[in-house]
Amino acid sequence: MVKYRNNPPDAAALMASARSFGNYNLPSALADLLDNSIKARAGMIEILCLREDGEPTVRILDDGHGMTEDELFGAMRPASANPEDERAADDLGRFGWGMKSASLSQCRKLTVLTRKNGKYAGASWDLDDIEDWQMGILEHQEIEKLANPKLLERDGTEIIWENCDRLSEYGKVRAKEFNELLAHAKSELALTFHRYLAGEMGVRKKLTITFNEGALDPIDPFLRDHPATQSKPVEHLELEGKPFSVQAFILPHFSKISSAEHERLGGEEGFVKNQGFYVYRQHRLIMHGTWFRLVRHGELSQLVRIAVNIPNSLDAIWKITVDKSEAQLPSGLRSRLREIVKSLKGQSGKVFQSRGGRIKQTDGKTPVWAKYVRSGEVRYYVNREHPLVADLLEHEDREVRQSFGVALNLVEDCFPAVSIGEDFTTRPEMMNQSALDRDAFLERLDAALPSLLAHCDGSFEKLWELLQVTEPWGGQSTLVEEHLRLKGWKNA
Ligand SMILES: Nc1ncnc2c1ncn2[C@@H]1O[C@H](COP(=O)(O)OP(=O)(O)O)[C@@H](O)[C@H]1O
Ligand SMILES: [Mg+2]
């Protein structure tokens, strides 16, 4: 006979470890709470991150259906749901831990106030006062005092984080750090929930999220409403009998989008880091910037982004993590997705090629490379009239002039024509010679500007005219113009 003895976990210890379930940061912790609000059919979510005397407090208020007292107590219970249970199709939750572990990953005291059908309930967990699983219960008066006045007027839920020790290293956070933290959280949320914010097809009613009273604008990582974005057809696939879909997009070349768009698309890590798959679970972005090792680095252009839309019924197969920040590509899908990626290789190349430099001298542009064709002989040479080249060839120092001339001849004599020809016939999409990254392009422009300005005898006006007809800047005059204007080198 097996004997049994009760052996529950120690409350303080378990809740302290719950702080590290998942790998939350401020935006992903907030996102987990927003998932709950969305599940509760909220149309409006207000996030307030305040800093008083250096101490941060966070409040998230929604106008969802709220909870009864019993529901609230159930919801406050750690592991309030079994991850193995089937979830409603619109449920963004999974482990029954989100509200607790996401909140406590950022703060030591979590309070939840809620109103359902006009009736209030409130409860709190305080890591510093949790012996024997004692949960704080708030009386009606306390709720009235503490709650956002809006919660007293309509149903909904308000989550309050106090003692935010993870937001502040030593209990206090400096204004600058705090503002950076908030700016990051804001843009992450605008991306994570962009489909909800835009009220897209198939996604329930449009959602408004305000962050410190400013409404979040959706950040569409595919820039779908830009005329130069190429949307590929949606592919409908199945995994264990459950449908999901994949759609690829080729973003416009950087010369065709505004700096603001470029900034938003590149995020903090830049364009390249953000290429790859964008995995959505119930229309909520859970991860991006990965190729799941399906693509070798640089194999596909940085302009390709692929949306993968999965329902929550496939959570287990995709191995969604507690903090919903990660998923693993199911092995049954690798080959199918690889095929999709392969079919894109040829096409993404074209966006680049059409941007490539022309060898022939066209519409008055001064090219870097020129060629002559004579009695059946073709030879490519560096255009001696390109201003940067011309200036060096006339350098005041004879030795510089000579060395530069020698180097130019060397580059021309050893022009890898055969290798280029081969690459171009076998894998044109991989030809990647021109500066594709906007930042690199501008950096190189900046490096060239002093010489170019000297070439124009210091005249900004002449410089601008020169840039318009000189490769590679002439092909990107909008971008160059904007850049010069920012530097104060060109008038509006
Ligand atoms: N803002 C909210 N409005 C209404 N109910 C909520 C809200 N937040 C949480 N809940 C309830 O609390 C439960 C537990 O939430 P959570 O700890 O995030 O786990 P999960 O989302 O995995 O179920 C939810 O299933 C829901 O019933
Ligand atoms: Mg949840």
Side-chain angles (χ1 to χ4, degrees), residues 8 27 87 158 198 252 263 295 317 328 341 408 416 422 454 457 473 489:
R87 292 267 180 152
E158 183 172 29
E263 197 96 314
V295 179
I317 304 174
Q328 279 174 32
V341 166
L408 273 186
E422 262 174 26
D457 305 321
W473 311 292
W489 284 23

Side-chain angles (χ1 to χ4, degrees), residues 32 36 93 98 324:
D32 224 349
N36 288 338
K324 296 178 205 142

Side-chain angles (χ1 to χ4, degrees), residues 36-37 40 62 67 75 80 87 93-100 157:
N36 288 338
S37 299
D62 71 44
M67 290 172 264
S80 53
R87 292 267 180 152
R94 166 56 49 189
F95 293 93
W97 261 110
M99 186 171 80
K100 287 75 72 178
T157 300

Side-chain angles (χ1 to χ4, degrees), residues 216 408 424:
L216 293 187
L408 273 186
F424 217 87

